Amino acid sequence: MNEQELLDPSLPSSFPSFNESKHNVLCAELKQLYVAVTRTRQRLWICENIEDLCRPMFDYWKKKCLVQVRQLDDSLAQAMQVASSPEEWRSRGIKLYQEHNFEVATMCFERAGDIYWQRRSKAAGLRAKAEHMRGSNAKAANVILREAAELFEAIGNADSAAQCFSDLGAYKRAGRLYLEKCELQKAGECFSLAGCYELSADVYARGNYFSECLKVCTKAKLFDKGLMYIQNWKNHATTDFGVAGRGKEIDKIEQEFLENCALHHHEHKDNRSMMKFVKAFQSIDLMRNFLKSLNCLGELLLLEEELGNFLEAANIAKLRGEILHEADLLGKAGNFREASMLFLIYVLYNSLWIPGSIGWPLKQFTQKLEILAKAKSFAKNESDSFYSFVCTEADILSNEQSDLSITNKYLNASQRHNSVGGEIISARKILDAHLQSNSSKYVWQDYFVFDLTNHLEQMISRNQISVETLVYFWTFWKDKIVNIFKYLKCVDTQDVNEYRRYGDFCLNYLGVRKQFHNLNAIYVLLNSDADWVQELDSRLLCQNGNLVYIDVRHFVSTARSYWCSELLCVGMKVLDNLETLYKLSFKNPNSMFCQKRCLTYIYEVAKFLLESEYLNCSSRNNKTLQRFVELSTNSFFYYIFPLDWRKSLAEDMFSLRGTEVSRNLLKQVIIENISLKGKLTYGQIGRVVVIILGLGKINNDLYKEILKRFDGIYGNPPWKTFIQILCGNMASEFLQGTLPDNISKSQRELSVLLKLYEALIHTYNANWKEIDYVSPGCFLYLIERLLILASYFKGYFITSKSSFAEWFIYQEVDTNPSSTLVAEVQQLPVEIFEFIVNVAQQIIYKKKDTIEWIRRSNIDVKDYYPLLVLRLVSIICLVHLNSGMFSDVALVCSSYIIEQLPSEFYDVFRTKRKNNTNVKVLAEIFKKIDNPLVIVSLGENCSQFLCPDAIFVDMTVKQCREDMLKVLFPETAKASQGQIGAAEVEATNSSSEVLSSGGYDQEDLNNINGSKLRVWEIFEALKSLEHGKDPGSFLSNSQIIKVDVEKSIHLLTTVMNERLQNTIDPVDENIMAEVASMLDELKQLSAALDVSEPELENNMSTIGELSNILLSRRPNVEPILSQLFLQQGTILVVKTVYGLSIEQCGVSKSKNSWETENKGKGNKSRKNKKNKRGSKK
């Protein structure tokens, strides 16, 4: 600029440097100037009103000759004026229109002569003006806007006119404008805004605006119209619906509309209309989910059934608790088994819980038989077994009157079908028949029932009832109910599977179905009006639609309460019935066994109800049950240990004593006697000790309680010491020199004898007039036991059948007695024998005191005194037989004693006495009073005592209760076999034929040889088992066979022992070796027989093989056995005398006999034997 002389010298020589942030305004103005210069087409006018600011720039431009300075006046304007064409005006007008300069644009269009654009621009200007004024003057703005709308409409600009009318709120007019221009979406929107919903929906539908159409229908509740559009769209479906293509979004829109429509009708309780829309859903799953969400299970059920989805429909019926409908649907689906079961369940709970019913028994209701018939009809489509099961269940539920035999057949069928429900209901019906029957209808069983099942079948098949059948069905039913309690106890644990069948019955019985709601188990009440439900607090009942349900805790609680009440109620009725029968039995003089049996049953039932963990008895019920227990305990002792000691033999007391309930009842008597406060009376002590001796071993806890009661100032040291030793605690007090070293078993036996002796002396010397002194029966029971204990140290003893039975009961659970103290205790038994005889004589001679003693014991003197005398005389006789002392028995000669004895007793005694009072005479006497003598060998020879009227028992041979039962009580054993229906062993002619070799007299005994040994015939029968022959008859007689095998072992053992002692002639060693082998094989056979029945079946082949081997030895050993038996004098005869099984076994006399009298007899016997042997030679 300096070079071109453009700079003004007057200006400062330096200028500020450029700074963008400081000179940003200058930059902006320079840019604007640049745009103005570069965009000018003809002339650029620059006008400034402040000359000082613009002069530098203007001077610069002047010097560069880029600008001209002119004075603005008319002449300049005229010189510059140039005429524009209409097109240029129109173009400028459009430009201005687009720039929203509507007023100038209108002038341009006016100059251009374009009426359309002139009006359009004016209308646009009015609309802009109206919008500008709306905030300040809405009314004036609307006037202006309406004017604009009219202009737009006049020139045919429908969109703008419609927009203006729409802005004015004239939606319907706007909509029609849009409709005329086919802008259907906007038209629909305007009609919708105008409230013309049907028109709007129709417009939307014409344009296939699916979503907008359905929204309008929803808004205007044009549900049917919307449904019509949907169906129409589906009928004319294409891949493209105009603006909206059919896809997932469209499906979603449609589903939302249909759900909204259905929900609207549901809210207005118009479910029929609702279902029109539900059925239009796109899938069945959507329909199910929607209806379930609204809990419209009824509508869903009908829908599923209409669609043929019978299983799904059945599940819904289950959720609704419509069990009959569910069963019908299951039948349609082909699930006949489940359908039949549901019909049976429905009949069961409706038979129990009809209005006004408290449950059992089953009752009739409408359609009951029809439903049962339908159950059978459905079951025909399943297996024959299932059809049979359903028919049985239907018959049980039909409630038709049936006799006992038919009901029992139903019970048996239910057991075959494994139907818990059938078993429980049938058993309850039979039990009710017992409880409702008159007492006179009961059949009295005066014998012990061994095979209860067989007895039951026989009785019920004849429509007869007994005490045994009553208790059997009570026990059967009770055990099933206890299993229901066990199910309820573990209902929410894994252990529930064990009792699931009982749980299912419990649910069905109460009319409850287990379902799941939100993964939680609920228990739906199919009959919420049932009586058992009334115990529930109504606040605990939950409702979901028609369903009423409770949670698991409240179900278990209420179900337990119901079954507790039911079990207690039935149990009480059974007890009342048993008590009535017990009292009735007193009218029958021969029904003592029935009375005892009733008492055991009363105790068993009452004790169960008292101690059951599942029952919560009230105080009143507890008192009632305790009364029943006391009724049993107060009377049972005197039945087991009767005043007439022979009555324990007259009936099946031996078997009854072996039952668990009898043992428990006697233990209860002990507990009640030791539970009384104060000093123990001799009466209490006597009862406790007698029961201990009569029970055998009892548990340690009870022993401890007994001993604890004997402690302290109220105790009784002599009896405490005896009980301690009896239960196994050895005492330290022994007579010096009486016991050998290291013989603990013998030491214990002697200690028991000593302490019992001391305790009885102490009791006898006590004041018998004190309250509850020991009763005569208890005292003599203990005296008889003392006599046995004192007698068996010599290796054998002789006693009465009644005393032996009592001793054997205790001995059965103890070890066999020892006979090793014979030499050491000779003096001691003499003292005891003298004490026993002295006591017996004193009681007899002191008649007045004895009668007073009886009376103080609350016993009828008239009836009991003769029995007491007879018992005392019998005791003295037994002392004589066991000691060899007191042979005169002078007391029997007293007239007042004779008159108390049975005539048959004294007649035999008087007739035979002159021939000496030996075993044979007394055996005949004891037989006359129905209490035969029993000769018990403990290892010593007893052959000198053998006689036809006595029973011989060898305790060295293993004797179980059953074996002894057959010896002591043959009639009972025979009755037992008759109940079981034992078959004869094949090829033996018959078991009884061999057993009853009763044709043999005493004279014929010596003619019996080895060929009569019974086992040969048994071996013939058993060898067939080796070849797999039917074992049925063998199994039923296995125990009889076992007894005979044991006897044969005993015989052969005796022969072998005598040969070793050289008391019989020498025999070839080879033959004796074969006899020894035979003995070993017999022992193997005995072991094979001495197992349970299942194991016995597995031993068949072994038994048959052993029998075959034994038979093969017969040709070699039979001749020598015959010879040996004749030499030995061994006799095996079993015959029946007055209904008593008498076994006689004569063996040579042992050298250890210690009675003077019997020594003579023994020597005489050996002498005779030697004479026989000599004559034979």
Side-chain angles (χ1 to χ4, degrees):
M1 290 180 67
N2 188 36
E3 293 175 356
Q4 296 180 12
E5 298 180 356
L6 296 177
L7 292 176
D8 187 354
S10 62
L11 293 174
S13 58
S14 62
F15 299 95
S17 60
F18 179 78
N19 187 315
E20 183 175 357
S21 61
K22 183 177 179 181
H23 302 99
N24 60 343
V25 177
L26 177 60
C27 287
E29 291 177 347
L30 287 172
K31 289 178 182 179
Q32 291 177 15
L33 179 60
Y34 173 78
V35 171
V37 171
T38 57
R39 295 296 185 272
T40 301
R41 296 179 62 187
Q42 291 183 357
R43 297 181 180 86
L44 174 61
W45 292 88
I46 300 174
C47 298
E48 285 289 349
N49 53 4
I50 302 177
E51 185 177 352
D52 291 341
L53 294 177
C54 65
R55 181 180 300 119
M57 197 66 194
F58 280 177
D59 289 343
Y60 176 75
W61 283 338
K62 288 176 184 179
K63 290 178 180 181
K64 294 288 288 181
C65 298
L66 295 176
V67 297
Q68 296 178 3
V69 180
R70 295 286 183 92
Q71 187 68 34
L72 184 60
D73 53 20
D74 291 337
S75 61
L76 179 61
Q78 291 176 1
M80 293 175 54
Q81 188 173 19
V82 178
S84 298
S85 66
E87 186 59 33
E88 288 177 334
W89 283 111
R90 184 175 180 277
S91 176
R92 180 55 62 90
I94 290 174
K95 181 179 180 183
L96 293 171
Y97 182 87
Q98 291 173 347
E99 294 174 355
H100 296 174
N101 191 351
F102 301 113
E103 187 177 353
V104 178
T106 302
M107 182 188 68
C108 291
F109 290 133
E110 183 180 356
R111 294 285 183 91
D114 191 334
I115 303 301
Y116 171 79
W117 274 102
Q118 178 186 355
R119 292 184 177 182
R120 181 174 178 177
S121 182
K122 182 181 180 180
L126 291 172
R127 181 171 61 182
K129 184 178 180 181
E131 290 176 358
H132 182 71
M133 293 177 61
R134 187 170 299 279
S136 59
N137 192 343
K139 186 175 181 180
N142 285 341
V143 172
I144 296 171
L145 185 60
R146 182 171 295 278
E147 182 181 353
E150 297 290 349
L151 285 173
F152 280 129
E153 185 178 13
I155 63 174
N157 192 340
D159 280 340
S160 297
Q163 184 62 50
C164 291
F165 282 123
S166 178
D167 292 343
L168 286 168
Y171 299 114
K172 186 173 182 180
R173 188 170 180 180
R176 293 196 179 278
L177 290 172
Y178 282 131
L179 184 59
E180 290 174 2
K181 301 297 282 185
C182 292
E183 294 190 31
L184 301 180
Q185 185 175 14
K186 292 181 178 180
E189 182 180 358
C190 288
F191 287 134
S192 175
L193 292 172
C196 302
Y197 299 113
E198 288 193 41
L199 183 57
S200 175
D202 188 58
V203 169
Y204 279 134
R206 285 164 56 187
N208 290 324
Y209 294 105
F210 191 79
S211 174
E212 291 81 355
C213 177
L214 295 182
K215 286 179 181 178
V216 170
C217 290
T218 302
K219 182 178 181 181
K221 299 181 175 52
L222 302 175
F223 305 124
D224 292 332
K225 201 171 188 67
L227 181 60
M228 179 189 70
Y229 291 139
I230 290 173
Q231 292 170 345
N232 183 60
W233 285 323
K234 288 182 177 180
N235 292 336
H236 301 86
T238 63
T239 58
D240 184 14
F241 278 85
V243 177
R246 181 82 185 183
K248 291 184 178 179
E249 188 65 26
I250 302 303
D251 291 339
K252 180 180 178 181
I253 294 169
E254 175 188 323
Q255 183 62 31
E256 288 179 356
F257 169 75
L258 293 173
E259 287 184 1
N260 288 332
C261 296
L263 188 60
H264 169 81
H265 288 298
H266 173 71
E267 291 172 351
H268 287 77
K269 303 189 183 305
D270 185 3
N271 287 356
R272 182 175 181 181
S273 298
M274 175 189 71
M275 288 307 297
K276 289 193 303 182
F277 298 93
V278 172
K279 291 178 181 179
F281 285 8
Q282 296 162 12
S283 70
I284 183 63
D285 288 336
L286 291 172
M287 300 178 196
R288 289 170 180 159
N289 294 336
F290 177 80
L291 291 173
K292 286 180 180 178
S293 68
L294 298 179
N295 201 29
C296 294
L297 299 182
E299 288 71 20
L300 180 56
L301 190 155
L302 294 174
L303 177 64
E304 297 283 14
E305 190 172 1
E306 181 182 329
L307 296 174
N309 301 327
F310 298 117
L311 280 179
E312 290 77 4
N315 287 331
I316 297 164
K318 179 179 180 180
L319 293 175
R320 286 173 55 82
E322 297 176 1
I323 190 169
L324 286 182
H325 197 178
E326 178 186 355
D328 283 327
L329 291 168
L330 287 171
K332 291 179 180 179
N335 288 18
F336 299 110
R337 178 182 293 267
E338 191 175 350
S340 296
M341 293 301 298
L342 288 179
F343 283 131
L344 295 177
I345 292 170
Y346 179 84
V347 169
L348 172 59
Y349 74 79
N350 274 282
S351 297
L352 292 164
W353 306 109
I354 60 175
S357 171
I358 59 173
W360 186 265
L362 300 175
K363 302 165 190 69
Q364 295 293 350
F365 64 91
T366 307
Q367 294 184 323
K368 180 175 182 177
L369 297 180
E370 179 184 341
I371 295 171
L372 290 175
K374 188 178 289 187
K376 294 179 183 178
S377 175
F378 278 20
K380 282 184 178 180
N381 296 290
E382 295 288 335
S383 64
D384 292 340
S385 173
F386 181 72
Y387 177 68
S388 173
F389 158 73
V390 171
C391 288
T392 301
E393 294 285 298
D395 291 341
I396 292 172
L397 295 173
S398 65
N399 204 38
E400 294 180 359
Q401 294 297 325
S402 302
D403 57 30
L404 287 175
S405 61
I406 294 176
T407 308
N408 191 51
K409 288 179 181 178
Y410 292 149
L411 174 59
N412 294 334
S414 296
Q415 290 176 313
R416 289 194 303 272
H417 293 303
N418 206 22
S419 169
V420 167
E423 291 178 88
I424 293 176
I425 294 173
S426 298
R428 181 65 186 276
K429 284 185 174 182
I430 297 175
L431 187 56
D432 282 354
H434 282 77
L435 298 176
Q436 294 165 7
S437 295
N438 191 286
S439 301
S440 61
K441 299 293 184 182
Y442 280 74
V443 176
W444 295 96
Q445 306 294 339
D446 57 356
Y447 58 85
F448 187 84
V449 178
F450 288 90
D451 188 348
L452 186 57
T453 303
N454 187 50
H455 168 76
L456 167 78
E457 293 295 335
Q458 291 179 3
M459 292 291 292
I460 299 300
S461 65
R462 296 193 292 264
N463 289 313
Q464 294 179 333
I465 57 176
S466 66
V467 176
E468 284 75 15
T469 59
L470 168 64
V471 176
Y472 174 87
F473 284 107
W474 151 253
T475 304
F476 182 91
W477 179 81
K478 174 260 296 180
D479 290 343
K480 301 292 181 184
I481 304 305
V482 167
N483 283 336
I484 293 177
F485 282 113
K486 291 178 180 178
Y487 160 79
L488 294 172
K489 187 176 181 179
C490 61
V491 66
D492 52 355
T493 68
Q494 294 297 326
D495 298 332
V496 72
N497 291 329
E498 184 178 354
Y499 304 102
R500 185 169 299 280
R501 292 186 299 123
Y502 296 93
D504 291 341
F505 171 75
C506 176
L507 293 170
N508 298 339
Y509 187 95
L510 296 175
V512 176
R513 295 190 78 180
K514 183 179 180 180
Q515 296 183 13
F516 287 90
H517 181 67
N518 295 331
L519 301 180
N520 295 319
I522 62 172
Y523 290 81
V524 177
L525 309 181
L526 299 176
N527 183 357
S528 57
D529 295 325
D531 182 75
W532 69 272
V533 181
Q534 307 312 310
E535 290 190 17
L536 275 168
D537 189 331
S538 59
R539 292 173 294 179
L540 302 177
L541 299 176
C542 304
Q543 193 154 359
N544 182 11
N546 295 328
L547 287 187
V548 178
Y549 62 89
I550 53 178
D551 62 20
V552 60
R553 183 166 59 92
H554 297 119
F555 164 72
V556 169
S557 173
T558 312
R560 277 178 60 91
S561 176
Y562 172 78
W563 287 113
C564 174
S565 173
E566 194 73 0
L567 185 60
L568 186 61
C569 177
V570 175
M572 287 295 193
K573 290 179 180 179
V574 171
L575 287 172
D576 289 337
N577 223 45
L578 287 172
E579 183 181 29
T580 301
L581 292 170
Y582 171 67
K583 293 176 180 178
L584 183 65
S585 66
F586 284 96
K587 297 181 180 180
N588 183 355
N590 299 318
S591 65
M592 180 175 287
F593 177 78
C594 301
Q595 296 166 21
K596 302 170 204 170
R597 205 67 179 116
C598 283
L599 288 177
T600 61
Y601 287 142
I602 289 173
Y603 174 80
E604 184 177 16
V605 176
K607 202 68 175 174
F608 164 78
L609 295 175
L610 270 174
E611 298 179 352
S612 174
E613 63 177 297
Y614 305 108
L615 298 180
N616 297 317
C617 298
S618 64
S619 175
R620 179 180 178 183
N621 286 329
N622 274 331
K623 288 182 180 179
T624 303
L625 292 172
Q626 195 59 48
R627 181 183 67 80
F628 281 114
V629 172
E630 291 172 0
L631 170 65
S632 303
T633 55
N634 292 342
S635 306
F636 193 68
F637 176 83
Y638 298 102
Y639 283 113
I640 296 297
F641 307 102
L643 299 175
D644 185 351
W645 72 101
R646 296 168 299 177
K647 287 186 178 180
S648 61
L649 304 176
E651 302 176 35
D652 286 340
M653 285 307 302
F654 195 75
S655 298
L656 183 61
R657 290 272 293 277
T659 62
E660 187 67 22
V661 63
S662 294
R663 295 176 60 81
N664 290 337
L665 186 46
L666 289 173
K667 290 175 185 177
Q668 183 69 29
V669 176
I670 292 178
I671 292 171
E672 291 188 0
N673 275 276
I674 64 175
S675 297
L676 300 175
K677 294 182 180 180
K679 181 181 178 181
L680 276 172
T681 66
Y682 284 100
Q684 292 168 349
I685 294 172
R687 289 187 289 273
V688 169
V689 175
V690 166
I691 292 174
I692 293 175
L693 293 172
L695 273 177
K697 294 295 183 184
I698 58 178
N699 62 68
N700 290 333
D701 291 337
L702 183 54
Y703 266 125
K704 291 177 182 177
E705 290 297 320
I706 294 171
L707 294 176
K708 183 178 179 181
R709 186 66 176 87
F710 277 82
D711 285 335
I713 59 174
Y714 293 128
N716 192 304
W719 283 111
K720 177 182 178 181
T721 304
F722 169 69
I723 293 173
Q724 283 179 320
I725 297 172
L726 197 63
C727 69
N729 298 322
M730 291 298 297
S732 60
E733 301 86 10
F734 296 103
L735 297 175
Q736 294 295 324
T738 60
L739 295 175
D741 294 335
N742 302 322
I743 307 181
S744 60
K745 179 180 176 182
S746 302
Q747 187 182 38
R748 177 179 180 274
E749 292 170 357
L750 180 59
S751 182
V752 170
L753 172 63
L754 283 171
K755 296 308 174 184
L756 178 59
Y757 177 41
E758 293 174 4
L760 284 172
I761 292 175
H762 173 77
T763 302
Y764 183 71
N765 292 330
N767 180 12
W768 62 271
K769 292 185 178 181
E770 67 179 43
I771 297 174
D772 193 25
Y773 183 69
V774 63
S775 68
C778 289
F779 187 76
L780 294 187
Y781 181 99
L782 298 173
I783 287 290
E784 289 170 342
R785 183 60 58 89
L786 179 67
L787 174 57
I788 291 177
L789 294 176
S791 301
Y792 70 52
F793 284 103
K794 60 186 181 294
Y796 71 90
F797 64 89
I798 302 172
T799 186
S800 64
K801 180 179 175 181
S802 60
S803 293
F804 173 77
E806 292 294 331
W807 174 82
F808 181 79
I809 289 173
Y810 181 81
Q811 203 63 35
E812 186 184 16
V813 296
D814 204 352
T815 55
N816 283 337
S818 172
S819 59
T820 58
L821 295 185
V822 174
E824 291 82 355
V825 293
Q826 291 184 11
Q827 184 61 34
L828 179 62
V830 174
E831 296 176 3
I832 295 176
F833 292 145
E834 289 176 346
F835 166 73
I836 294 172
V837 172
N838 179 58
V839 167
Q841 289 176 332
Q842 290 296 319
I843 294 173
I844 292 175
Y845 291 149
K846 296 181 179 181
K847 182 177 180 180
K848 183 177 180 181
D849 288 346
T850 300
I851 290 176
E852 181 63 20
W853 182 23
I854 295 172
R855 187 176 289 113
R856 283 177 171 271
S857 300
N858 297 318
I859 302 171
D860 183 74
V861 175
K862 181 179 179 181
D863 292 336
Y864 184 61
Y865 184 72
L867 293 174
L868 180 64
V869 172
L870 177 60
R871 191 169 186 176
L872 291 167
V873 172
S874 299
I875 289 172
I876 294 174
C877 292
L878 290 174
V879 172
H880 163 66
L881 290 178
N882 284 283
S883 67
M885 303 164 59
F886 316 105
S887 57
D888 54 342
V889 197
L891 59 86
V892 179
C893 299
S894 302
S895 59
Y896 82 91
I897 296 176
I898 293 174
E899 68 185 14
Q900 302 297 331
L901 297 174
S903 58
E904 59 270 21
F905 180 95
Y906 184 73
D907 289 344
V908 175
F909 186 84
R910 184 180 56 186
T911 303
K912 303 289 184 178
R913 186 170 179 270
K914 59 184 179 181
N915 297 325
N916 200 1
T917 312
N918 57 19
V919 173
K920 186 175 180 180
V921 172
L922 291 177
E924 185 179 354
I925 292 173
F926 273 69
K927 185 185 73 174
K928 291 290 185 180
I929 60 173
D930 297 327
N931 196 14
L933 284 184
V934 179
I935 301 168
V936 183
S937 172
L938 305 177
E940 292 297 311
N941 181 17
C942 308
S943 59
Q944 72 272 23
F945 299 123
L946 295 178
C947 57
D949 295 321
I951 299 172
F952 175 78
V953 177
D954 187 351
M955 293 302 294
T956 62
V957 178
K958 182 181 178 182
Q959 302 276 7
C960 66
R961 177 181 289 268
E962 290 73 20
D963 297 338
M964 193 58 64
L965 183 66
K966 295 168 185 174
V967 174
L968 296 179
F969 306 97
E971 291 302 321
T972 301
K974 185 177 179 181
S976 170
Q977 295 169 16
Q979 294 170 42
I980 300 172
E984 298 176 350
V985 177
E986 237 176 298
T988 62
N989 296 327
S990 80
S991 301
S992 59
E993 183 178 339
V994 180
L995 277 172
S996 60
S997 302
Y1000 299 109
D1001 300 319
Q1002 185 71 25
E1003 301 173 359
D1004 299 325
L1005 298 181
N1006 293 331
N1007 295 327
I1008 297 179
N1009 53 40
S1011 63
K1012 289 296 182 181
L1013 195 64
R1014 175 177 178 181
V1015 291
W1016 299 124
E1017 287 81 359
I1018 293 176
F1019 297 156
E1020 288 286 353
L1022 294 183
K1023 71 176 184 179
S1024 63
L1025 297 175
E1026 185 182 7
H1027 306 293
K1029 191 168 182 179
D1030 178 19
S1033 58
F1034 161 69
L1035 291 174
S1036 61
N1037 288 276
S1038 60
Q1039 291 305 309
I1040 298 175
I1041 295 170
K1042 176 177 170 292
V1043 172
D1044 289 313
V1045 172
E1046 292 277 0
K1047 291 175 183 175
S1048 301
I1049 292 172
H1050 177 64
L1051 287 173
L1052 290 180
T1053 302
T1054 303
V1055 168
M1056 297 293 288
N1057 290 339
E1058 292 297 330
R1059 181 182 178 279
L1060 291 175
Q1061 297 176 19
N1062 298 318
T1063 58
I1064 58 177
D1065 294 341
V1067 180
D1068 182 87
E1069 291 298 329
N1070 293 331
I1071 297 297
M1072 290 308 298
E1074 190 157 1
V1075 172
S1077 297
M1078 179 180 178
L1079 179 59
D1080 182 62
E1081 288 152 1
L1082 279 169
K1083 291 178 179 178
Q1084 293 181 47
L1085 181 60
S1086 176
L1089 290 167
D1090 193 18
V1091 293
S1092 61
E1093 186 169 313
E1095 295 174 329
L1096 192 61
E1097 294 184 21
N1098 296 331
N1099 290 347
M1100 292 295 186
S1101 177
T1102 302
I1103 293 170
E1105 182 180 352
L1106 285 170
S1107 299
N1108 207 19
I1109 294 172
L1110 287 163
L1111 275 175
S1112 68
R1113 300 190 186 280
R1114 184 173 186 176
N1116 296 331
V1117 301
E1118 188 173 35
I1120 192 63
L1121 287 179
S1122 299
Q1123 178 185 346
L1124 292 174
F1125 289 160
L1126 287 172
Q1127 291 181 31
Q1128 175 68 9
T1130 302
I1131 303 167
L1132 173 64
V1133 173
V1134 181
K1135 71 177 184 176
T1136 304
V1137 179
Y1138 293 101
L1140 298 175
S1141 177
I1142 301 177
E1143 297 186 8
Q1144 304 168 344
C1145 296
V1147 294
S1148 64
K1149 180 72 179 118
S1150 171
K1151 298 177 181 179
N1152 293 328
S1153 177
W1154 58 285
E1155 304 100 317
T1156 303
E1157 180 182 356
N1158 290 334
K1159 277 185 179 179
K1161 293 180 180 180
N1163 293 334
K1164 184 177 179 180
S1165 175
R1166 281 196 295 274
K1167 183 178 180 180
N1168 292 337
K1169 191 175 293 185
K1170 289 179 180 178
N1171 290 339
K1172 289 181 181 180
R1173 199 177 297 165
S1175 63
K1176 182 178 179 181
K1177 291 179 180 178

